[in-house]
Amino acid sequence: MDSRTALVVIDVQADFCAGGALAVPDGDAVVPVINALARHYQTVVITQDWHPANHVSFASQHPGQDPFGTIPLAYGPQVLWPDHCVMDTAGAALHRDLHVPHAAMIQRKGSNRLIDSYSAFLEADRTTRTGLDGWLAARGIERVDLCGLATDYCVAWSALDARRFGLEARVIEPACRGIDLEGSLAASWQAMMAAGVARVASV
Ligand code: VGL
Ligand code: ZN
């Protein structure tokens, strides 16, 4: 791959895979695909969903609410999730078989108790930057190729924000899996298409 394109590997963590707290259907299947893909990139970023145990996105923090419902928060509607990717727990670890030794950057996100962050670039308040845009810009990156979990949440939000920051973005579909809550997978592809994100089967 050319040196102006980075691979961004989204949230390939134990909790999003088989046996995890928020397992994405067939999530483990992305691991060998990503391991092979990553060899073609000089610049690889890995993201980790990384929440405090009392994170606002956890249904457990909202008495009477169940996982997968939606509540209004100050910054907008928030889907409530099972407790997942609690910082420094086994569930938050990268998948044990993910093998990308040359990844130079691990971007953690969602660590502010009061603000979720599906996106690797901007938290859910749509204002707070993780700093990844600056890191990529400093390295002359003009395009990101995205893969990982989950297509319709963290991959999609990251791809959309990449476009906001002026990057080209491609989502490598065979290297992603979705959660698909109430049509969220189709809706996320619609939004990505509209924003000029390329949906590709290979690169
Ligand atoms: C994710 C739901 C909650 C994701 C993270 O990685 O797509 N989804 N937190
Ligand atoms: Zn999360």
mmCIF file of all heavy atoms in Angstrom, residues 101-126:
data_model
loop_
_atom_site.group_PDB
_atom_site.id
_atom_site.type_symbol
_atom_site.label_atom_id
_atom_site.label_comp_id
_atom_site.label_asym_id
_atom_site.label_seq_id
_atom_site.Cartn_x
_atom_site.Cartn_y
_atom_site.Cartn_z
ATOM 1 N N PRO A 101 2.163 -6.722 14.575
ATOM 2 C CA PRO A 101 3.271 -6.253 15.422
ATOM 3 C C PRO A 101 3.784 -4.874 15.059
ATOM 4 O O PRO A 101 4.356 -4.189 15.901
ATOM 5 C CB PRO A 101 4.349 -7.328 15.204
ATOM 6 C CG PRO A 101 3.981 -8.028 13.942
ATOM 7 C CD PRO A 101 2.491 -7.955 13.848
ATOM 8 N N HIS A 102 3.578 -4.459 13.821
ATOM 9 C CA HIS A 102 4.130 -3.172 13.401
ATOM 10 C C HIS A 102 3.160 -2.009 13.613
ATOM 11 O O HIS A 102 3.467 -0.884 13.229
ATOM 12 C CB HIS A 102 4.569 -3.231 11.933
ATOM 13 C CG HIS A 102 3.466 -3.584 10.982
ATOM 14 N ND1 HIS A 102 2.785 -4.789 11.034
ATOM 15 C CD2 HIS A 102 2.910 -2.902 9.960
ATOM 16 C CE1 HIS A 102 1.870 -4.808 10.070
ATOM 17 N NE2 HIS A 102 1.920 -3.671 9.417
ATOM 18 N N ALA A 103 2.012 -2.243 14.224
ATOM 19 C CA ALA A 103 1.084 -1.138 14.509
ATOM 20 C C ALA A 103 1.778 -0.129 15.419
ATOM 21 O O ALA A 103 2.219 -0.473 16.514
ATOM 22 C CB ALA A 103 -0.183 -1.669 15.162
ATOM 23 N N ALA A 104 1.858 1.111 14.964
ATOM 24 C CA ALA A 104 2.623 2.117 15.707
ATOM 25 C C ALA A 104 1.774 2.848 16.737
ATOM 26 O O ALA A 104 2.301 3.507 17.628
ATOM 27 C CB ALA A 104 3.223 3.128 14.731
ATOM 28 N N MET A 105 0.461 2.737 16.614
ATOM 29 C CA MET A 105 -0.426 3.577 17.412
ATOM 30 C C MET A 105 -1.598 2.754 17.935
ATOM 31 O O MET A 105 -2.242 2.054 17.150
ATOM 32 C CB MET A 105 -0.938 4.714 16.503
ATOM 33 C CG MET A 105 -2.074 5.529 17.048
ATOM 34 S SD MET A 105 -1.561 6.433 18.508
ATOM 35 C CE MET A 105 -2.691 7.808 18.449
ATOM 36 N N ILE A 106 -1.830 2.824 19.223
ATOM 37 C CA ILE A 106 -3.060 2.264 19.784
ATOM 38 C C ILE A 106 -3.878 3.423 20.338
ATOM 39 O O ILE A 106 -3.438 4.113 21.259
ATOM 40 C CB ILE A 106 -2.785 1.211 20.869
ATOM 41 C CG1 ILE A 106 -2.044 0.016 20.257
ATOM 42 C CG2 ILE A 106 -4.108 0.759 21.513
ATOM 43 C CD1 ILE A 106 -1.771 -1.115 21.210
ATOM 44 N N GLN A 107 -5.012 3.666 19.706
ATOM 45 C CA GLN A 107 -5.878 4.781 20.106
ATOM 46 C C GLN A 107 -6.987 4.232 20.996
ATOM 47 O O GLN A 107 -7.855 3.497 20.537
ATOM 48 C CB GLN A 107 -6.494 5.443 18.863
ATOM 49 C CG GLN A 107 -7.469 6.565 19.191
ATOM 50 C CD GLN A 107 -6.779 7.761 19.817
ATOM 51 O OE1 GLN A 107 -5.928 8.371 19.203
ATOM 52 N NE2 GLN A 107 -7.149 8.081 21.050
ATOM 53 N N ARG A 108 -6.971 4.609 22.262
ATOM 54 C CA ARG A 108 -8.067 4.227 23.153
ATOM 55 C C ARG A 108 -9.124 5.308 23.110
ATOM 56 O O ARG A 108 -8.843 6.469 22.829
ATOM 57 C CB ARG A 108 -7.533 3.997 24.560
ATOM 58 C CG ARG A 108 -6.708 2.719 24.601
ATOM 59 C CD ARG A 108 -6.025 2.531 25.915
ATOM 60 N NE ARG A 108 -5.436 1.191 26.010
ATOM 61 C CZ ARG A 108 -4.545 0.828 26.914
ATOM 62 N NH1 ARG A 108 -4.119 1.699 27.820
ATOM 63 N NH2 ARG A 108 -4.070 -0.395 26.930
ATOM 64 N N LYS A 109 -10.364 4.904 23.384
ATOM 65 C CA LYS A 109 -11.482 5.843 23.270
ATOM 66 C C LYS A 109 -12.609 5.395 24.179
ATOM 67 O O LYS A 109 -12.725 4.221 24.509
ATOM 68 C CB LYS A 109 -11.963 5.913 21.825
ATOM 69 C CG LYS A 109 -12.451 4.575 21.306
ATOM 70 C CD LYS A 109 -12.752 4.617 19.837
ATOM 71 C CE LYS A 109 -13.248 3.267 19.360
ATOM 72 N NZ LYS A 109 -14.492 2.804 20.008
ATOM 73 N N GLY A 110 -13.438 6.357 24.590
ATOM 74 C CA GLY A 110 -14.561 6.046 25.479
ATOM 75 C C GLY A 110 -14.180 6.049 26.940
ATOM 76 O O GLY A 110 -14.896 5.506 27.775
ATOM 77 N N SER A 111 -13.065 6.680 27.265
ATOM 78 C CA SER A 111 -12.567 6.650 28.640
ATOM 79 C C SER A 111 -13.189 7.702 29.540
ATOM 80 O O SER A 111 -13.074 7.616 30.767
ATOM 81 C CB SER A 111 -11.048 6.838 28.643
ATOM 82 O OG SER A 111 -10.466 5.891 27.780
ATOM 83 N N ASN A 112 -13.818 8.700 28.936
ATOM 84 C CA ASN A 112 -14.542 9.697 29.732
ATOM 85 C C ASN A 112 -15.862 9.075 30.173
ATOM 86 O O ASN A 112 -16.680 8.671 29.339
ATOM 87 C CB ASN A 112 -14.791 10.940 28.865
ATOM 88 C CG ASN A 112 -15.503 12.054 29.612
ATOM 89 O OD1 ASN A 112 -16.280 11.799 30.547
ATOM 90 N ND2 ASN A 112 -15.268 13.286 29.210
ATOM 91 N N ARG A 113 -16.094 9.004 31.471
ATOM 92 C CA ARG A 113 -17.276 8.330 31.999
ATOM 93 C C ARG A 113 -18.577 8.866 31.428
ATOM 94 O O ARG A 113 -19.548 8.135 31.254
ATOM 95 C CB ARG A 113 -17.318 8.466 33.529
ATOM 96 C CG ARG A 113 -18.499 7.757 34.167
ATOM 97 C CD ARG A 113 -18.460 7.852 35.684
ATOM 98 N NE ARG A 113 -18.881 9.144 36.196
ATOM 99 C CZ ARG A 113 -20.155 9.509 36.374
ATOM 100 N NH1 ARG A 113 -21.131 8.691 36.065
ATOM 101 N NH2 ARG A 113 -20.446 10.696 36.866
ATOM 102 N N LEU A 114 -18.589 10.162 31.111
ATOM 103 C CA LEU A 114 -19.841 10.828 30.737
ATOM 104 C C LEU A 114 -20.079 10.940 29.235
ATOM 105 O O LEU A 114 -21.112 11.447 28.811
ATOM 106 C CB LEU A 114 -19.864 12.236 31.355
ATOM 107 C CG LEU A 114 -19.828 12.252 32.882
ATOM 108 C CD1 LEU A 114 -19.690 13.678 33.401
ATOM 109 C CD2 LEU A 114 -21.083 11.589 33.450
ATOM 110 N N ILE A 115 -19.128 10.513 28.436
ATOM 111 C CA ILE A 115 -19.259 10.663 26.978
ATOM 112 C C ILE A 115 -18.820 9.375 26.286
ATOM 113 O O ILE A 115 -17.687 8.923 26.470
ATOM 114 C CB ILE A 115 -18.381 11.822 26.430
ATOM 115 C CG1 ILE A 115 -18.562 13.103 27.249
ATOM 116 C CG2 ILE A 115 -18.694 12.065 24.964
ATOM 117 C CD1 ILE A 115 -17.643 14.241 26.797
ATOM 118 N N ASP A 116 -19.712 8.787 25.478
ATOM 119 C CA ASP A 116 -19.306 7.603 24.727
ATOM 120 C C ASP A 116 -18.437 8.039 23.551
ATOM 121 O O ASP A 116 -18.350 9.232 23.215
ATOM 122 C CB ASP A 116 -20.544 6.834 24.236
ATOM 123 C CG ASP A 116 -20.229 5.354 24.002
ATOM 124 O OD1 ASP A 116 -19.080 4.937 24.249
ATOM 125 O OD2 ASP A 116 -21.144 4.614 23.571
ATOM 126 N N SER A 117 -17.773 7.097 22.913
ATOM 127 C CA SER A 117 -16.997 7.419 21.714
ATOM 128 C C SER A 117 -16.934 6.206 20.805
ATOM 129 O O SER A 117 -16.050 5.371 20.929
ATOM 130 C CB SER A 117 -15.586 7.880 22.078
ATOM 131 O OG SER A 117 -14.942 8.396 20.925
ATOM 132 N N TYR A 118 -17.885 6.097 19.893
ATOM 133 C CA TYR A 118 -17.787 5.052 18.879
ATOM 134 C C TYR A 118 -16.634 5.362 17.935
ATOM 135 O O TYR A 118 -15.940 4.472 17.466
ATOM 136 C CB TYR A 118 -19.077 4.971 18.056
ATOM 137 C CG TYR A 118 -20.331 4.616 18.816
ATOM 138 C CD1 TYR A 118 -21.550 5.206 18.488
ATOM 139 C CD2 TYR A 118 -20.315 3.676 19.836
ATOM 140 C CE1 TYR A 118 -22.712 4.868 19.147
ATOM 141 C CE2 TYR A 118 -21.476 3.338 20.519
ATOM 142 C CZ TYR A 118 -22.680 3.936 20.166
ATOM 143 O OH TYR A 118 -23.832 3.613 20.820
ATOM 144 N N SER A 119 -16.491 6.651 17.642
ATOM 145 C CA SER A 119 -15.512 7.086 16.643
ATOM 146 C C SER A 119 -14.103 7.133 17.214
ATOM 147 O O SER A 119 -13.897 7.516 18.363
ATOM 148 C CB SER A 119 -15.907 8.485 16.158
ATOM 149 O OG SER A 119 -14.840 9.095 15.477
ATOM 150 N N ALA A 120 -13.165 6.791 16.364
ATOM 151 C CA ALA A 120 -11.750 6.899 16.739
ATOM 152 C C ALA A 120 -11.261 8.341 16.696
ATOM 153 O O ALA A 120 -10.148 8.635 17.141
ATOM 154 C CB ALA A 120 -10.899 6.052 15.796
ATOM 155 N N PHE A 121 -12.083 9.250 16.155
ATOM 156 C CA PHE A 121 -11.668 10.646 15.970
ATOM 157 C C PHE A 121 -12.342 11.625 16.923
ATOM 158 O O PHE A 121 -11.705 12.546 17.409
ATOM 159 C CB PHE A 121 -11.973 11.097 14.532
ATOM 160 C CG PHE A 121 -11.164 10.393 13.482
ATOM 161 C CD1 PHE A 121 -11.649 9.259 12.856
ATOM 162 C CD2 PHE A 121 -9.911 10.864 13.120
ATOM 163 C CE1 PHE A 121 -10.901 8.605 11.873
ATOM 164 C CE2 PHE A 121 -9.155 10.220 12.143
ATOM 165 C CZ PHE A 121 -9.660 9.081 11.520
ATOM 166 N N LEU A 122 -13.645 11.470 17.113
ATOM 167 C CA LEU A 122 -14.446 12.443 17.870
ATOM 168 C C LEU A 122 -15.361 11.716 18.842
ATOM 169 O O LEU A 122 -16.035 10.754 18.457
ATOM 170 C CB LEU A 122 -15.367 13.215 16.921
ATOM 171 C CG LEU A 122 -14.882 14.415 16.147
ATOM 172 C CD1 LEU A 122 -16.031 14.963 15.309
ATOM 173 C CD2 LEU A 122 -14.349 15.492 17.087
ATOM 174 N N GLU A 123 -15.431 12.202 20.064
ATOM 175 C CA GLU A 123 -16.335 11.591 21.036
ATOM 176 C C GLU A 123 -17.789 11.934 20.689
ATOM 177 O O GLU A 123 -18.058 12.753 19.795
ATOM 178 C CB GLU A 123 -15.948 12.047 22.446
ATOM 179 C CG GLU A 123 -14.544 11.556 22.799
ATOM 180 C CD GLU A 123 -14.117 11.811 24.235
ATOM 181 O OE1 GLU A 123 -14.902 12.355 25.035
ATOM 182 O OE2 GLU A 123 -12.975 11.447 24.556
ATOM 183 N N ALA A 124 -18.716 11.311 21.408
ATOM 184 C CA ALA A 124 -20.135 11.433 21.060
ATOM 185 C C ALA A 124 -20.688 12.837 21.274
ATOM 186 O O ALA A 124 -21.767 13.162 20.771
ATOM 187 C CB ALA A 124 -20.952 10.418 21.858
ATOM 188 N N ASP A 125 -19.954 13.690 21.993
ATOM 189 C CA ASP A 125 -20.384 15.097 22.079
ATOM 190 C C ASP A 125 -20.111 15.818 20.762
ATOM 191 O O ASP A 125 -20.512 16.967 20.580
ATOM 192 C CB ASP A 125 -19.702 15.820 23.254
ATOM 193 C CG ASP A 125 -18.181 15.866 23.123
ATOM 194 O OD1 ASP A 125 -17.626 15.400 22.096
ATOM 195 O OD2 ASP A 125 -17.538 16.356 24.070
ATOM 196 N N ARG A 126 -19.413 15.104 19.855
ATOM 197 C CA ARG A 126 -19.108 15.620 18.513
ATOM 198 C C ARG A 126 -18.142 16.806 18.547
ATOM 199 O O ARG A 126 -18.056 17.556 17.575
ATOM 200 C CB ARG A 126 -20.388 15.981 17.731
ATOM 201 C CG ARG A 126 -21.452 14.898 17.657
ATOM 202 C CD ARG A 126 -21.171 13.851 16.591
ATOM 203 N NE ARG A 126 -20.114 12.922 16.977
ATOM 204 C CZ ARG A 126 -19.311 12.299 16.112
ATOM 205 N NH1 ARG A 126 -19.420 12.518 14.841
ATOM 206 N NH2 ARG A 126 -18.404 11.472 16.528
#
